């Protein structure tokens, strides 16, 4: 099967910028107390119930945080360059190449899943398919955490860090994302929206939706 154009564009973009991205966000968890808190809540909802996937793990910083919280976690990403960094920085953790739209996992295999800023390049009309795939691979009652920039506008990043690549970053409305999750069979646990932090060069709020796969 050939890769969809938007996946090729995403993979090419992150392959090119992986080292710069990893350097820019080197201490990201230390500077984001709310993110750490949300991940702690997620970890408590999972605790002791089996494997957890960090989907679109990038350099694996969220994966490492979840492992430190005691979870049996592994990362999945499209970009080999991102995976190389994740493996280099976290030699004890497992990172696999794959698309979160088509995960190489049996139905109900996961005790939890996180998508931290990894759905932000997906065309709007592919979100139902993404959430259906998350729903398929999660066990009944298992939590899902989705993080994204809140808003309406799209931002096109051309030649990031001087590399000859470009990609569109899509902001989403938390209410729209919550409705899509509900439609996919998730029960919303909480929606957290953090104001932009100028110290982090943020200009829009950051949204964290925590949901659970229905048990029915
Ligand atoms: C903005 S980065 C976020 C990385 C990491 N989650 C973090 O918070 O630092 C987006 C990541 O999602 C990955 N990604 C985007 N679409 C994906 C897909 N369909 N399947 C797997 N990974 C994907 C990209 O390769 C990239 O590493």
């Amino acid at each position: 099967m050939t890769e969809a154009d938007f996946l090729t564009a995403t993979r090419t973009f992150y392959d090119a910028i992986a080292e710069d991205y990893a350097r820019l966000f080197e201490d990201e968890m230390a500077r984001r107390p709310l993110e750490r808190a949300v991940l702690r809540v997620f970890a408590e909802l999972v605790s002791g119930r089996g494997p957890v996937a960090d989907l679109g793990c990038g350099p694996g910083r969220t994966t490492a945080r979840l492992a430190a919280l005691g979870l049996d976690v592994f990362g999945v990403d499209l970009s080999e360059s991102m995976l190389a960094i994740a493996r280099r920085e976290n030699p004890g953790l497992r990172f696999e190449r794959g698309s979160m739209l088509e995960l190489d996992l049996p139905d109900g295999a996961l005790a939890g899943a996180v998508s931290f800023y990894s759905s932000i390049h997906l065309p709007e009309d592919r979100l139902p398919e993404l959430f259906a795939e998350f729903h398929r691979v999660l066990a009944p009652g298992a939590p899902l955490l989705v993080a994204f920039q809140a808003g309406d506008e799209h931002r096109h990043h051309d030649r990031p860090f001087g590399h000859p690549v470009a990609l569109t970053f899509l902001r989403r409305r938390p209410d729209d994302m919550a409705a899509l999750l509900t439609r996919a069979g998730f029960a919303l646990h909480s929606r957290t929206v953090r104001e932009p932090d100028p110290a982090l060069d943020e200009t829009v709020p950051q949204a964290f939706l925590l949901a659970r796969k229905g048990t029915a």
Side-chain angles (χ1 to χ4, degrees):
M1 193 191 291
T2 55
E3 191 177 76
D5 288 350
F6 69 89
L7 290 179
T8 306
T10 304
R11 185 170 49 75
T12 305
F13 181 89
Y14 282 104
D15 275 345
I17 70 158
E19 292 291 347
D20 297 292
Y21 178 98
R23 214 170 299 117
L24 182 67
F25 293 108
E26 193 150 29
D27 59 349
E28 62 176 331
M29 279 298 160
R31 300 169 73 201
R32 290 171 165 79
L34 191 91
E35 280 77 341
R36 296 201 304 275
V38 171
L39 289 171
R40 268 200 309 278
V41 174
F42 171 81
E44 281 196 35
L45 293 176
V46 169
S47 209
R49 295 176 50 220
V52 170
D54 180 8
L55 302 169
C57 61
R61 309 274 164 68
T62 309
T63 329
R65 187 85 204 158
L66 294 171
L69 290 167
L71 299 185
D72 171 16
V73 62
F74 64 97
V76 175
D77 206 282
L78 277 180
S79 158
E80 268 305 342
S81 305
M82 281 294 198
L83 291 166
I85 297 168
R87 292 181 186 123
R88 184 179 77 209
E89 292 190 356
N90 305 281
L93 298 180
R94 180 162 60 96
F95 294 95
E96 291 173 3
R97 167 100 199 270
S99 170
M100 57 188 186
L101 280 165
E102 210 173 353
L103 290 162
D104 187 16
L105 290 168
D107 295 0
L110 297 177
V114 168
S115 164
F116 235 58
Y117 297 98
S118 55
S119 61
I120 61 175
H121 308 297
L122 202 66
E124 202 78 26
D125 62 352
R126 305 299 289 262
L127 285 171
E129 184 184 334
L130 180 71
F131 292 155
E133 182 64 350
F134 290 171
H135 189 270
R136 181 186 73 76
V137 295
L138 285 164
L144 168 71
L145 174 60
V146 182
F148 53 96
Q149 289 96 0
D152 288 317
E153 329 83 66
H154 300 166
R155 284 192 69 194
H156 194 65
H157 284 260
D158 203 357
R159 297 194 66 84
F161 308 102
H163 297 288
V165 288
L167 193 64
T168 303
F169 286 59
L170 305 165
R171 293 163 182 166
R172 322 269 195 199
R173 290 186 196 172
D175 283 352
D176 293 348
M177 291 289 265
L180 286 172
L181 285 170
T182 308
R183 228 168 283 148
F186 289 93
L188 211 63
H189 173 281
S190 52
R191 55 182 102 180
T192 306
V193 179
R194 174 171 73 63
E195 293 303 314
D197 184 346
L200 300 171
D201 284 333
E202 291 171 347
T203 54
V204 293
Q206 311 294 306
F208 307 91
L209 301 187
L210 194 42
R212 298 180 100 144
K213 176 170 171 172
T215 48

